[in-house]
Amino acid sequence: MTKLKLAGIDDDKPVKLTVTLSAALHRNLVAYAEILANETGKSVEPAKLIAPMVEKFIASDRGFAQSRNSTKKPAAPTPSKSPFSLSSPSSAQG
């Protein structure tokens, strides 16, 4: 059995985009969809593979994650309330 990066396609409310693909990329998407259908038993349109593939790519891009995280403002520190006391047991009995 082939180990594909995509395990399945979730149904989600999509945002429609128009993209232009090379013929070679389209052929690869068609081939990928056929292999995925053989593995999962469910047919899938090649176009429906694009969003999950881009999501996987972005999720695995460490440079993107680091850059994105560095542009976020750090949250203000909040005082933590520990359930543990710093006093010794002998002073508490005392």
Side-chain angles (χ1 to χ4, degrees), residues 35-94:
I35 294 167
L36 186 61
N38 289 337
E39 296 222 348
T40 63
K42 298 177 186 176
S43 64
V44 61
E45 287 181 48
K48 290 199 177 237
L49 297 173
I50 296 170
M53 287 178 164
V54 172
E55 287 173 355
K56 290 273 186 182
F57 174 82
I58 289 175
S60 67
D61 189 322
R62 291 181 184 168
F64 172 74
Q66 289 172 350
S67 178
R68 186 171 188 200
N69 290 337
S70 70
T71 60
K72 290 182 181 178
K73 291 182 181 179
T78 57
S80 72
K81 294 183 180 181
S82 174
F84 303 104
S85 172
L86 295 178
S87 63
S88 67
S90 60
S91 66
Q93 293 176 4

